Amino acid sequence: MRQRVTVITAVHAPSARFLTDAYASLREQELPDGWEWNWLIQEDGKSDQVAPRVPDDERVTFRQGRAGGPGVARTMALAHADGAYVKVLDADDRLGPGALARDLAALEADDTIGWATSRVLDLLPDGSTAAFPGDPEHGPIERAALLDRWKADGFRAPVHPATLFVRRDLLVALGGWMALPASEDTGLLLALNSVSRGWFSAEVGLLYRKWEGQVTGQAAHTETAERAARMAVVESRARALSHFRWRYALDSG
């Protein structure tokens, strides 16, 4: 594996206008000597509206594919990820200063940690920010610590899956993102926590943009029957992984 962090971004035409901001936040990241990042942008579909907004940078690669939702787009991009680590960056979000270096340091320092997340601020349309309540303590997240909290809190994860930083081999072993129309990132997060310890950084790692076109703000996202089915399969997968006792190979727990 190369000493590289591969940043994966799923994008569709309505969110393409935010790629400039996402790129600016990525360019500001600093990594230790010997490390580098590359950015894989995967369009969910084949339009002519995204490519003109892709930055002209040799570290950036753009591809298109059949529309199938953000989880499909990210998993297709994963085929081209050649770094030891994968970082998620949604097209309409921005990385916080130092986010990549903090995530990398946490996993490089402890082989038993398979993934990392960080504090999030909502980025509101007027440019102001708002914090999420209930963040965990800074530091390790023990294996299987998230599932019951997620369910008890109305299926809201105590850490944000849009901040995920993960060992590529572990991500591939779990099959990438779930084949769901939404909540595919939460499903991955809970699966990861079923097999591996994680890490939470109390420093802001992501500005999560709130805007009128975001997928999670649409009525279909909260339609009762579909949401119940999504939550059921997310929970079932996480519990099955715990039941079969498959563990991240270097986890000493």
mmCIF file with all atom_site columns, all heavy atoms in Angstrom, residues 121-143:
data_model
loop_
_atom_site.group_PDB
_atom_site.id
_atom_site.type_symbol
_atom_site.label_atom_id
_atom_site.label_alt_id
_atom_site.label_comp_id
_atom_site.label_asym_id
_atom_site.label_entity_id
_atom_site.label_seq_id
_atom_site.pdbx_PDB_ins_code
_atom_site.Cartn_x
_atom_site.Cartn_y
_atom_site.Cartn_z
_atom_site.occupancy
_atom_site.B_iso_or_equiv
_atom_site.pdbx_formal_charge
_atom_site.auth_seq_id
_atom_site.auth_comp_id
_atom_site.auth_asym_id
_atom_site.auth_atom_id
_atom_site.pdbx_PDB_model_num
ATOM 1   N N   . LEU A 1 121 ? -19.793 20.312 12.422 1.00 0.00 ? 121 LEU A N   1
ATOM 2   C CA  . LEU A 1 121 ? -20.628 21.506 12.543 1.00 0.00 ? 121 LEU A CA  1
ATOM 3   C C   . LEU A 1 121 ? -21.521 21.590 11.317 1.00 0.00 ? 121 LEU A C   1
ATOM 4   O O   . LEU A 1 121 ? -21.058 21.380 10.188 1.00 0.00 ? 121 LEU A O   1
ATOM 5   C CB  . LEU A 1 121 ? -19.772 22.775 12.627 1.00 0.00 ? 121 LEU A CB  1
ATOM 6   C CG  . LEU A 1 121 ? -18.859 22.942 13.839 1.00 0.00 ? 121 LEU A CG  1
ATOM 7   C CD1 . LEU A 1 121 ? -18.090 24.262 13.722 1.00 0.00 ? 121 LEU A CD1 1
ATOM 8   C CD2 . LEU A 1 121 ? -19.629 22.894 15.143 1.00 0.00 ? 121 LEU A CD2 1
ATOM 9   N N   . ASP A 1 122 ? -22.800 21.867 11.531 1.00 0.00 ? 122 ASP A N   1
ATOM 10  C CA  . ASP A 1 122 ? -23.673 22.183 10.409 1.00 0.00 ? 122 ASP A CA  1
ATOM 11  C C   . ASP A 1 122 ? -23.252 23.515 9.801  1.00 0.00 ? 122 ASP A C   1
ATOM 12  O O   . ASP A 1 122 ? -23.005 24.491 10.538 1.00 0.00 ? 122 ASP A O   1
ATOM 13  C CB  . ASP A 1 122 ? -25.126 22.299 10.864 1.00 0.00 ? 122 ASP A CB  1
ATOM 14  C CG  . ASP A 1 122 ? -25.827 20.954 10.952 1.00 0.00 ? 122 ASP A CG  1
ATOM 15  O OD1 . ASP A 1 122 ? -25.308 19.975 10.402 1.00 0.00 ? 122 ASP A OD1 1
ATOM 16  O OD2 . ASP A 1 122 ? -26.902 20.891 11.579 1.00 0.00 ? 122 ASP A OD2 1
ATOM 17  N N   . LEU A 1 123 ? -23.160 23.570 8.488  1.00 0.00 ? 123 LEU A N   1
ATOM 18  C CA  . LEU A 1 123 ? -22.886 24.806 7.767  1.00 0.00 ? 123 LEU A CA  1
ATOM 19  C C   . LEU A 1 123 ? -24.201 25.286 7.178  1.00 0.00 ? 123 LEU A C   1
ATOM 20  O O   . LEU A 1 123 ? -24.734 24.682 6.242  1.00 0.00 ? 123 LEU A O   1
ATOM 21  C CB  . LEU A 1 123 ? -21.849 24.569 6.671  1.00 0.00 ? 123 LEU A CB  1
ATOM 22  C CG  . LEU A 1 123 ? -21.480 25.763 5.794  1.00 0.00 ? 123 LEU A CG  1
ATOM 23  C CD1 . LEU A 1 123 ? -20.905 26.902 6.629  1.00 0.00 ? 123 LEU A CD1 1
ATOM 24  C CD2 . LEU A 1 123 ? -20.497 25.332 4.704  1.00 0.00 ? 123 LEU A CD2 1
ATOM 25  N N   . LEU A 1 124 ? -24.730 26.351 7.728  1.00 0.00 ? 124 LEU A N   1
ATOM 26  C CA  . LEU A 1 124 ? -26.063 26.825 7.358  1.00 0.00 ? 124 LEU A CA  1
ATOM 27  C C   . LEU A 1 124 ? -26.002 27.745 6.137  1.00 0.00 ? 124 LEU A C   1
ATOM 28  O O   . LEU A 1 124 ? -24.930 28.285 5.804  1.00 0.00 ? 124 LEU A O   1
ATOM 29  C CB  . LEU A 1 124 ? -26.690 27.540 8.553  1.00 0.00 ? 124 LEU A CB  1
ATOM 30  C CG  . LEU A 1 124 ? -26.771 26.687 9.836  1.00 0.00 ? 124 LEU A CG  1
ATOM 31  C CD1 . LEU A 1 124 ? -27.340 27.493 10.983 1.00 0.00 ? 124 LEU A CD1 1
ATOM 32  C CD2 . LEU A 1 124 ? -27.580 25.424 9.602  1.00 0.00 ? 124 LEU A CD2 1
ATOM 33  N N   . PRO A 1 125 ? -27.121 27.936 5.450  1.00 0.00 ? 125 PRO A N   1
ATOM 34  C CA  . PRO A 1 125 ? -27.117 28.733 4.217  1.00 0.00 ? 125 PRO A CA  1
ATOM 35  C C   . PRO A 1 125 ? -26.576 30.152 4.386  1.00 0.00 ? 125 PRO A C   1
ATOM 36  O O   . PRO A 1 125 ? -26.045 30.727 3.418  1.00 0.00 ? 125 PRO A O   1
ATOM 37  C CB  . PRO A 1 125 ? -28.596 28.741 3.797  1.00 0.00 ? 125 PRO A CB  1
ATOM 38  C CG  . PRO A 1 125 ? -29.135 27.463 4.343  1.00 0.00 ? 125 PRO A CG  1
ATOM 39  C CD  . PRO A 1 125 ? -28.438 27.271 5.653  1.00 0.00 ? 125 PRO A CD  1
ATOM 40  N N   . ASP A 1 126 ? -26.713 30.728 5.590  1.00 0.00 ? 126 ASP A N   1
ATOM 41  C CA  . ASP A 1 126 ? -26.213 32.085 5.792  1.00 0.00 ? 126 ASP A CA  1
ATOM 42  C C   . ASP A 1 126 ? -24.730 32.131 6.142  1.00 0.00 ? 126 ASP A C   1
ATOM 43  O O   . ASP A 1 126 ? -24.177 33.199 6.425  1.00 0.00 ? 126 ASP A O   1
ATOM 44  C CB  . ASP A 1 126 ? -27.042 32.799 6.872  1.00 0.00 ? 126 ASP A CB  1
ATOM 45  C CG  . ASP A 1 126 ? -26.918 32.150 8.251  1.00 0.00 ? 126 ASP A CG  1
ATOM 46  O OD1 . ASP A 1 126 ? -26.159 31.161 8.397  1.00 0.00 ? 126 ASP A OD1 1
ATOM 47  O OD2 . ASP A 1 126 ? -27.578 32.631 9.190  1.00 0.00 ? 126 ASP A OD2 1
ATOM 48  N N   . GLY A 1 127 ? -24.070 30.967 6.139  1.00 0.00 ? 127 GLY A N   1
ATOM 49  C CA  . GLY A 1 127 ? -22.644 30.905 6.440  1.00 0.00 ? 127 GLY A CA  1
ATOM 50  C C   . GLY A 1 127 ? -22.323 30.659 7.894  1.00 0.00 ? 127 GLY A C   1
ATOM 51  O O   . GLY A 1 127 ? -21.159 30.431 8.242  1.00 0.00 ? 127 GLY A O   1
ATOM 52  N N   . SER A 1 128 ? -23.322 30.703 8.752  1.00 0.00 ? 128 SER A N   1
ATOM 53  C CA  . SER A 1 128 ? -23.096 30.418 10.169 1.00 0.00 ? 128 SER A CA  1
ATOM 54  C C   . SER A 1 128 ? -23.011 28.904 10.390 1.00 0.00 ? 128 SER A C   1
ATOM 55  O O   . SER A 1 128 ? -23.350 28.113 9.504  1.00 0.00 ? 128 SER A O   1
ATOM 56  C CB  . SER A 1 128 ? -24.212 31.019 11.020 1.00 0.00 ? 128 SER A CB  1
ATOM 57  O OG  . SER A 1 128 ? -25.463 30.432 10.715 1.00 0.00 ? 128 SER A OG  1
ATOM 58  N N   . THR A 1 129 ? -22.568 28.518 11.571 1.00 0.00 ? 129 THR A N   1
ATOM 59  C CA  . THR A 1 129 ? -22.435 27.099 11.887 1.00 0.00 ? 129 THR A CA  1
ATOM 60  C C   . THR A 1 129 ? -23.188 26.773 13.172 1.00 0.00 ? 129 THR A C   1
ATOM 61  O O   . THR A 1 129 ? -23.430 27.643 14.004 1.00 0.00 ? 129 THR A O   1
ATOM 62  C CB  . THR A 1 129 ? -20.959 26.692 12.055 1.00 0.00 ? 129 THR A CB  1
ATOM 63  O OG1 . THR A 1 129 ? -20.356 27.485 13.088 1.00 0.00 ? 129 THR A OG1 1
ATOM 64  C CG2 . THR A 1 129 ? -20.198 26.887 10.746 1.00 0.00 ? 129 THR A CG2 1
ATOM 65  N N   . ALA A 1 130 ? -23.544 25.512 13.311 1.00 0.00 ? 130 ALA A N   1
ATOM 66  C CA  . ALA A 1 130 ? -24.242 25.046 14.507 1.00 0.00 ? 130 ALA A CA  1
ATOM 67  C C   . ALA A 1 130 ? -23.702 23.679 14.877 1.00 0.00 ? 130 ALA A C   1
ATOM 68  O O   . ALA A 1 130 ? -23.455 22.836 14.002 1.00 0.00 ? 130 ALA A O   1
ATOM 69  C CB  . ALA A 1 130 ? -25.756 24.973 14.257 1.00 0.00 ? 130 ALA A CB  1
ATOM 70  N N   . ALA A 1 131 ? -23.525 23.442 16.157 1.00 0.00 ? 131 ALA A N   1
ATOM 71  C CA  . ALA A 1 131 ? -22.936 22.192 16.625 1.00 0.00 ? 131 ALA A CA  1
ATOM 72  C C   . ALA A 1 131 ? -23.996 21.127 16.845 1.00 0.00 ? 131 ALA A C   1
ATOM 73  O O   . ALA A 1 131 ? -25.166 21.420 17.080 1.00 0.00 ? 131 ALA A O   1
ATOM 74  C CB  . ALA A 1 131 ? -22.171 22.440 17.930 1.00 0.00 ? 131 ALA A CB  1
ATOM 75  N N   . PHE A 1 132 ? -23.575 19.868 16.760 1.00 0.00 ? 132 PHE A N   1
ATOM 76  C CA  . PHE A 1 132 ? -24.420 18.736 17.109 1.00 0.00 ? 132 PHE A CA  1
ATOM 77  C C   . PHE A 1 132 ? -24.310 18.484 18.611 1.00 0.00 ? 132 PHE A C   1
ATOM 78  O O   . PHE A 1 132 ? -23.216 18.564 19.182 1.00 0.00 ? 132 PHE A O   1
ATOM 79  C CB  . PHE A 1 132 ? -23.952 17.470 16.383 1.00 0.00 ? 132 PHE A CB  1
ATOM 80  C CG  . PHE A 1 132 ? -24.345 17.387 14.945 1.00 0.00 ? 132 PHE A CG  1
ATOM 81  C CD1 . PHE A 1 132 ? -23.570 17.985 13.960 1.00 0.00 ? 132 PHE A CD1 1
ATOM 82  C CD2 . PHE A 1 132 ? -25.486 16.718 14.563 1.00 0.00 ? 132 PHE A CD2 1
ATOM 83  C CE1 . PHE A 1 132 ? -23.914 17.904 12.624 1.00 0.00 ? 132 PHE A CE1 1
ATOM 84  C CE2 . PHE A 1 132 ? -25.851 16.628 13.221 1.00 0.00 ? 132 PHE A CE2 1
ATOM 85  C CZ  . PHE A 1 132 ? -25.068 17.222 12.256 1.00 0.00 ? 132 PHE A CZ  1
ATOM 86  N N   . PRO A 1 133 ? -25.403 18.147 19.283 1.00 0.00 ? 133 PRO A N   1
ATOM 87  C CA  . PRO A 1 133 ? -25.315 17.769 20.694 1.00 0.00 ? 133 PRO A CA  1
ATOM 88  C C   . PRO A 1 133 ? -24.894 16.313 20.851 1.00 0.00 ? 133 PRO A C   1
ATOM 89  O O   . PRO A 1 133 ? -25.045 15.505 19.934 1.00 0.00 ? 133 PRO A O   1
ATOM 90  C CB  . PRO A 1 133 ? -26.756 17.968 21.189 1.00 0.00 ? 133 PRO A CB  1
ATOM 91  C CG  . PRO A 1 133 ? -27.589 17.669 19.976 1.00 0.00 ? 133 PRO A CG  1
ATOM 92  C CD  . PRO A 1 133 ? -26.793 18.167 18.794 1.00 0.00 ? 133 PRO A CD  1
ATOM 93  N N   . GLY A 1 134 ? -24.354 15.985 22.008 1.00 0.00 ? 134 GLY A N   1
ATOM 94  C CA  . GLY A 1 134 ? -24.139 14.591 22.367 1.00 0.00 ? 134 GLY A CA  1
ATOM 95  C C   . GLY A 1 134 ? -22.912 13.924 21.797 1.00 0.00 ? 134 GLY A C   1
ATOM 96  O O   . GLY A 1 134 ? -22.877 12.688 21.684 1.00 0.00 ? 134 GLY A O   1
ATOM 97  N N   . ASP A 1 135 ? -21.882 14.687 21.444 1.00 0.00 ? 135 ASP A N   1
ATOM 98  C CA  . ASP A 1 135 ? -20.655 14.057 20.967 1.00 0.00 ? 135 ASP A CA  1
ATOM 99  C C   . ASP A 1 135 ? -20.042 13.171 22.048 1.00 0.00 ? 135 ASP A C   1
ATOM 100 O O   . ASP A 1 135 ? -20.105 13.500 23.242 1.00 0.00 ? 135 ASP A O   1
ATOM 101 C CB  . ASP A 1 135 ? -19.623 15.119 20.567 1.00 0.00 ? 135 ASP A CB  1
ATOM 102 C CG  . ASP A 1 135 ? -19.935 15.771 19.241 1.00 0.00 ? 135 ASP A CG  1
ATOM 103 O OD1 . ASP A 1 135 ? -20.699 15.187 18.454 1.00 0.00 ? 135 ASP A OD1 1
ATOM 104 O OD2 . ASP A 1 135 ? -19.412 16.871 18.991 1.00 0.00 ? 135 ASP A OD2 1
ATOM 105 N N   . PRO A 1 136 ? -19.424 12.060 21.658 1.00 0.00 ? 136 PRO A N   1
ATOM 106 C CA  . PRO A 1 136 ? -18.710 11.246 22.644 1.00 0.00 ? 136 PRO A CA  1
ATOM 107 C C   . PRO A 1 136 ? -17.426 11.925 23.105 1.00 0.00 ? 136 PRO A C   1
ATOM 108 O O   . PRO A 1 136 ? -17.037 12.967 22.565 1.00 0.00 ? 136 PRO A O   1
ATOM 109 C CB  . PRO A 1 136 ? -18.403 9.960  21.878 1.00 0.00 ? 136 PRO A CB  1
ATOM 110 C CG  . PRO A 1 136 ? -18.348 10.390 20.445 1.00 0.00 ? 136 PRO A CG  1
ATOM 111 C CD  . PRO A 1 136 ? -19.358 11.499 20.314 1.00 0.00 ? 136 PRO A CD  1
ATOM 112 N N   . GLU A 1 137 ? -16.770 11.318 24.067 1.00 0.00 ? 137 GLU A N   1
ATOM 113 C CA  . GLU A 1 137 ? -15.485 11.824 24.524 1.00 0.00 ? 137 GLU A CA  1
ATOM 114 C C   . GLU A 1 137 ? -14.427 11.637 23.438 1.00 0.00 ? 137 GLU A C   1
ATOM 115 O O   . GLU A 1 137 ? -14.491 10.701 22.630 1.00 0.00 ? 137 GLU A O   1
ATOM 116 C CB  . GLU A 1 137 ? -15.042 11.084 25.792 1.00 0.00 ? 137 GLU A CB  1
ATOM 117 C CG  . GLU A 1 137 ? -15.929 11.320 27.000 1.00 0.00 ? 137 GLU A CG  1
ATOM 118 C CD  . GLU A 1 137 ? -15.868 12.757 27.487 1.00 0.00 ? 137 GLU A CD  1
ATOM 119 O OE1 . GLU A 1 137 ? -14.767 13.342 27.458 1.00 0.00 ? 137 GLU A OE1 1
ATOM 120 O OE2 . GLU A 1 137 ? -16.914 13.297 27.884 1.00 0.00 ? 137 GLU A OE2 1
ATOM 121 N N   . HIS A 1 138 ? -13.462 12.541 23.437 1.00 0.00 ? 138 HIS A N   1
ATOM 122 C CA  . HIS A 1 138 ? -12.324 12.415 22.536 1.00 0.00 ? 138 HIS A CA  1
ATOM 123 C C   . HIS A 1 138 ? -11.569 11.132 22.860 1.00 0.00 ? 138 HIS A C   1
ATOM 124 O O   . HIS A 1 138 ? -11.275 10.853 24.021 1.00 0.00 ? 138 HIS A O   1
ATOM 125 C CB  . HIS A 1 138 ? -11.400 13.625 22.697 1.00 0.00 ? 138 HIS A CB  1
ATOM 126 C CG  . HIS A 1 138 ? -10.191 13.580 21.829 1.00 0.00 ? 138 HIS A CG  1
ATOM 127 N ND1 . HIS A 1 138 ? -10.170 14.078 20.549 1.00 0.00 ? 138 HIS A ND1 1
ATOM 128 C CD2 . HIS A 1 138 ? -8.944  13.099 22.059 1.00 0.00 ? 138 HIS A CD2 1
ATOM 129 C CE1 . HIS A 1 138 ? -8.970  13.919 20.021 1.00 0.00 ? 138 HIS A CE1 1
ATOM 130 N NE2 . HIS A 1 138 ? -8.209  13.320 20.920 1.00 0.00 ? 138 HIS A NE2 1
ATOM 131 N N   . GLY A 1 139 ? -11.283 10.329 21.822 1.00 0.00 ? 139 GLY A N   1
ATOM 132 C CA  . GLY A 1 139 ? -10.503 9.126  22.059 1.00 0.00 ? 139 GLY A CA  1
ATOM 133 C C   . GLY A 1 139 ? -11.126 7.889  21.442 1.00 0.00 ? 139 GLY A C   1
ATOM 134 O O   . GLY A 1 139 ? -11.995 7.992  20.559 1.00 0.00 ? 139 GLY A O   1
ATOM 135 N N   . PRO A 1 140 ? -10.718 6.711  21.909 1.00 0.00 ? 140 PRO A N   1
ATOM 136 C CA  . PRO A 1 140 ? -11.181 5.459  21.296 1.00 0.00 ? 140 PRO A CA  1
ATOM 137 C C   . PRO A 1 140 ? -12.683 5.243  21.468 1.00 0.00 ? 140 PRO A C   1
ATOM 138 O O   . PRO A 1 140 ? -13.280 5.642  22.469 1.00 0.00 ? 140 PRO A O   1
ATOM 139 C CB  . PRO A 1 140 ? -10.390 4.376  22.049 1.00 0.00 ? 140 PRO A CB  1
ATOM 140 C CG  . PRO A 1 140 ? -9.236  5.081  22.665 1.00 0.00 ? 140 PRO A CG  1
ATOM 141 C CD  . PRO A 1 140 ? -9.711  6.469  22.970 1.00 0.00 ? 140 PRO A CD  1
ATOM 142 N N   . ILE A 1 141 ? -13.270 4.591  20.482 1.00 0.00 ? 141 ILE A N   1
ATOM 143 C CA  . ILE A 1 141 ? -14.641 4.091  20.557 1.00 0.00 ? 141 ILE A CA  1
ATOM 144 C C   . ILE A 1 141 ? -14.545 2.573  20.535 1.00 0.00 ? 141 ILE A C   1
ATOM 145 O O   . ILE A 1 141 ? -14.050 1.991  19.565 1.00 0.00 ? 141 ILE A O   1
ATOM 146 C CB  . ILE A 1 141 ? -15.490 4.596  19.369 1.00 0.00 ? 141 ILE A CB  1
ATOM 147 C CG1 . ILE A 1 141 ? -15.596 6.118  19.396 1.00 0.00 ? 141 ILE A CG1 1
ATOM 148 C CG2 . ILE A 1 141 ? -16.881 3.963  19.398 1.00 0.00 ? 141 ILE A CG2 1
ATOM 149 C CD1 . ILE A 1 141 ? -16.305 6.697  18.189 1.00 0.00 ? 141 ILE A CD1 1
ATOM 150 N N   . GLU A 1 142 ? -14.968 1.945  21.615 1.00 0.00 ? 142 GLU A N   1
ATOM 151 C CA  . GLU A 1 142 ? -14.791 0.507  21.718 1.00 0.00 ? 142 GLU A CA  1
ATOM 152 C C   . GLU A 1 142 ? -15.709 -0.227 20.752 1.00 0.00 ? 142 GLU A C   1
ATOM 153 O O   . GLU A 1 142 ? -16.757 0.268  20.345 1.00 0.00 ? 142 GLU A O   1
ATOM 154 C CB  . GLU A 1 142 ? -15.035 0.043  23.153 1.00 0.00 ? 142 GLU A CB  1
ATOM 155 C CG  . GLU A 1 142 ? -14.027 0.608  24.150 1.00 0.00 ? 142 GLU A CG  1
ATOM 156 C CD  . GLU A 1 142 ? -12.572 0.324  23.766 1.00 0.00 ? 142 GLU A CD  1
ATOM 157 O OE1 . GLU A 1 142 ? -12.280 -0.801 23.284 1.00 0.00 ? 142 GLU A OE1 1
ATOM 158 O OE2 . GLU A 1 142 ? -11.723 1.230  23.920 1.00 0.00 ? 142 GLU A OE2 1
ATOM 159 N N   . ARG A 1 143 ? -15.285 -1.426 20.392 1.00 0.00 ? 143 ARG A N   1
ATOM 160 C CA  . ARG A 1 143 ? -16.064 -2.237 19.472 1.00 0.00 ? 143 ARG A CA  1
ATOM 161 C C   . ARG A 1 143 ? -17.475 -2.479 20.012 1.00 0.00 ? 143 ARG A C   1
ATOM 162 O O   . ARG A 1 143 ? -17.669 -2.710 21.197 1.00 0.00 ? 143 ARG A O   1
ATOM 163 C CB  . ARG A 1 143 ? -15.349 -3.578 19.239 1.00 0.00 ? 143 ARG A CB  1
ATOM 164 C CG  . ARG A 1 143 ? -15.949 -4.413 18.136 1.00 0.00 ? 143 ARG A CG  1
ATOM 165 C CD  . ARG A 1 143 ? -15.155 -5.706 17.943 1.00 0.00 ? 143 ARG A CD  1
ATOM 166 N NE  . ARG A 1 143 ? -15.098 -6.464 19.178 1.00 0.00 ? 143 ARG A NE  1
ATOM 167 C CZ  . ARG A 1 143 ? -16.088 -7.213 19.646 1.00 0.00 ? 143 ARG A CZ  1
ATOM 168 N NH1 . ARG A 1 143 ? -17.243 -7.281 18.977 1.00 0.00 ? 143 ARG A NH1 1
ATOM 169 N NH2 . ARG A 1 143 ? -15.951 -7.884 20.761 1.00 0.00 ? 143 ARG A NH2 1
#
